[in-house]
Amino acid sequence: MASPAIRPSAACLRFLRLQTMNSPSLVLSSTRSHLRPQLPVTARPTQDLSRCGRTFSTIPARQDWLTPKRPEKRKSMVGRPRMPTGGSMRGTTVVWGDYGLRMRDHDRRVSAKQLRTGEQTIHQRLRGERYKLYKRVSANIGVYTKGNDVRMGKGKGKFDYWAARIPVSRIVFELKGNIHEQVVRDAFRLAGNKLPGLYEFVKKGDPPVVGITKLGKGVTLESLKEAKRPVEPKDKVPEQPVTPPMADGPPQSVSTDFDKPPTTVHVSP
């Protein structure tokens, strides 16, 4: 019968560790109790840092569409989403997916909690399907609140939650996958019920929207930019009224057929 292996004591291991730290040519093996010489390490070529600005990492960057990467430098005002007055159609059509969910009524501020609820509703309805969901908005606006019965002044208050300003006719979600259209409609219908406002279902290839006006069926961007009524130039000189020349003689009355005939009064003797 083989005898059990004898392990070195704690004092012996401490002595060997100190010897290893003092002598760099010896390395203590974690699997064996004896020492082995350190193998020579070949010099690696130095990398030119001017060609690569950042270090490589296999871990993907943190991407959270409901939380900004950096905090705000100054507190955001309540504000309203910017309205494109120059005829911009950006963000009103489906770009990456096959179907989309678009806001229909008017612009508003949607909290990150509400957006997450809408996303979870879509995932729950399409459980088991192969698809990819794209988010076209991001919660990058901070909302600050103050307690009740607080006097005016003393700043905007403390941070409460993140929110997103969604303008009218903006695509919120896009979906791409081999799924029946009616199933996607039902998923977006459930998500729209969880979000504030009214939403509509759109498909890839649908015409864009300018404000609340959909292009197509004879409506073009050029026709919307045209004036609805004639516009007079600002440098136009007003016309002077023309008066007829006055005659030298006294004015004469001209009788017409509409004048009443003179009435005669008979007096009895």
Side-chain angles (χ1 to χ4, degrees):
M1 184 174 180
S3 60
I6 301 176
R7 296 183 179 180
S9 61
C12 182
L13 292 176
R14 190 181 304 109
F15 173 78
L16 293 176
R17 189 180 300 110
L18 293 176
Q19 293 294 330
T20 305
M21 295 175 60
N22 298 332
S23 177
S25 61
L26 298 178
V27 179
L28 179 63
S29 176
S30 59
T31 58
R32 300 179 183 179
S33 60
H34 63 276
L35 300 179
R36 63 179 181 181
Q38 184 179 8
L39 299 177
V41 180
T42 58
R44 297 181 180 179
T46 58
Q47 184 181 6
D48 188 6
L49 299 179
S50 61
R51 299 182 59 183
C52 183
R54 64 180 183 87
T55 58
F56 175 77
S57 176
T58 57
I59 301 176
R62 175 177 171 270
Q63 295 179 357
D64 188 2
W65 67 294
L66 298 177
T67 305
K69 186 177 180 181
R70 297 179 180 86
E72 293 184 322
K73 294 185 178 179
R74 64 186 298 268
K75 297 181 179 181
S76 301
M77 299 183 179
V78 177
R80 297 188 63 183
R82 296 181 179 179
M83 187 66 180
T85 57
S88 175
M89 302 173 292
R90 183 179 180 182
T92 61
T93 57
V94 179
V95 179
W96 300 305
D98 300 328
Y99 310 101
L101 184 67
R102 181 166 61 190
M103 179 172 284
R104 188 179 63 180
D105 51 353
H106 60 84
D107 54 87
R108 56 172 40 85
R109 189 174 62 184
V110 183
S111 65
K113 184 177 180 180
Q114 294 170 339
L115 292 173
R116 186 182 296 278
T117 303
E119 180 189 11
Q120 293 175 354
T121 303
I122 296 175
H123 290 322
Q124 185 177 2
R125 176 62 182 85
L126 302 178
R127 181 179 299 175
E129 303 287 348
R130 298 180 61 87
Y131 65 93
K132 187 171 184 180
L133 185 65
Y134 299 93
K135 280 79 71 172
R136 296 288 300 273
V137 296
S138 60
N140 55 359
I141 301 298
V143 179
Y144 303 83
T145 57
K146 301 172 66 174
N148 298 331
D149 299 334
V150 178
R151 296 184 178 182
M152 298 177 62
K154 306 299 182 182
K156 292 175 62 64
K158 295 183 179 180
F159 173 80
D160 192 7
Y161 59 90
W162 294 105
R165 292 175 183 166
I166 304 179
V168 64
S169 303
R170 173 61 60 88
I171 298 291
V172 182
F173 294 110
E174 290 188 16
L175 190 139
K176 183 177 182 181
N178 190 14
I179 308 177
H180 197 274
E181 179 182 343
Q182 295 298 331
V183 179
V184 182
R185 282 181 179 270
D186 188 41
F188 281 165
R189 178 186 60 82
L190 296 175
N193 295 338
K194 300 291 184 179
L195 298 174
L198 301 178
Y199 297 84
E200 61 180 350
F201 178 82
V202 294
K203 297 187 295 185
K204 188 168 185 136
D206 289 354
V209 182
V210 178
I212 58 175
T213 305
K214 296 182 180 180
L215 301 183
K217 297 182 180 180
V219 181
T220 60
L221 184 60
E222 288 73 14
S223 63
L224 293 177
K225 291 184 178 181
E226 294 178 356
K228 302 300 180 182
R229 56 184 179 181
V231 181
E232 298 181 356
K234 296 182 179 180
D235 55 352
K236 182 179 179 180
V237 180
E239 298 180 357
Q240 298 294 336
V242 180
T243 56
M246 301 295 294
D248 297 339
Q252 299 179 359
S253 61
V254 180
S255 62
T256 60
D257 297 338
F258 296 99
D259 296 341
K260 297 182 179 180
T263 58
T264 57
V265 179
H266 298 279
V267 180
S268 61

